[in-house]
């Protein structure tokens, strides 16, 4: 995974790789503001992959193993931007924005979701307009 030129990931590896990146973002955000907790990661995984809460928690455990072996977050994000198709990254970004916009969230929570989508998933802001409206 640490190769300078990332080749496309196998479709079965994409969910775990993107989940691992989301966990990395959650861990780093915890240092600044407890926003992206485990329950939020589970909710995003459940929504994106149509999983039950238990299945999402099990998937998160697999994602944690990938995250532990991955390079630093910026390098990992850049690598996944090259190795994972835009549609897969956009789908996760939409789920992240939808989960963070649902319920009792502050406007800065949605702004954080948009920032993560744009800077870690490399999703264009114009493509997130559906999430912003929702």
């Amino acid at each position: 995974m640490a190769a300078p030129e990332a080749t496309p990931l196998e479709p079965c590896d994409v969910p775990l790789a993107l989940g691992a990146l989301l966990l990395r973002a959650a861990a780093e955000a915890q240092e600044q503001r407890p926003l992206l907790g485990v329950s939020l990661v589970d909710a995003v995984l459940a929504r994106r992959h149509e999983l039950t809460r238990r299945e999402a928690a099990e998937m998160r455990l697999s994602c944690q193993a990938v995250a532990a072996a991955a390079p630093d977050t910026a390098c990992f994000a850049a690598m996944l931007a090259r190795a994972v198709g835009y549609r897969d990254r956009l789908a996760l970004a939409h789920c992240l924005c939808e989960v963070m916009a649902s319920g009792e969230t502050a406007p800065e929570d949605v702004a954080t979701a948009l920032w993560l989508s744009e800077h870690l998933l490399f999703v264009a802001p114009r493509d997130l307009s559906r999430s912003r409206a929702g």
Side-chain angles (χ1 to χ4, degrees), residues 24-91:
R24 278 286 184 83
E28 290 176 9
Q30 289 294 330
E31 295 172 10
Q32 298 170 6
R33 187 166 154 231
L35 174 64
L36 296 175
V38 168
S39 62
L40 182 112
V41 171
D42 286 356
V44 172
L45 293 174
R47 176 168 279 187
R48 172 67 186 106
H49 303 290
E50 298 179 359
L51 303 173
T52 65
R53 293 173 88 183
R54 183 177 185 180
E55 292 168 334
E58 290 171 2
M59 182 178 180
R60 178 182 32 82
L61 292 176
S62 297
C63 292
Q64 285 173 327
V66 173
D72 69 87
T73 304
C75 181
F76 189 39
M79 189 183 330
L80 291 183
R82 293 187 307 270
V84 174
Y86 189 75
R87 287 183 181 168
D88 288 317
R89 291 182 283 118
L90 178 62

Side-chain angles (χ1 to χ4, degrees), residues 82-102:
R82 293 187 307 270
V84 174
Y86 189 75
R87 287 183 181 168
D88 288 317
R89 291 182 283 118
L90 178 62
L92 185 68
H94 278 300
C95 290
L96 175 63
C97 291
E98 290 166 2
V99 166
M100 291 186 76
S102 65

Side-chain angles (χ1 to χ4, degrees), residues 100-119:
M100 291 186 76
S102 65
E104 305 273 331
T105 57
E108 58 268 12
D109 295 349
V110 176
T112 298
L114 294 171
W115 188 92
L116 290 170
S117 297
E118 294 170 27
H119 294 92

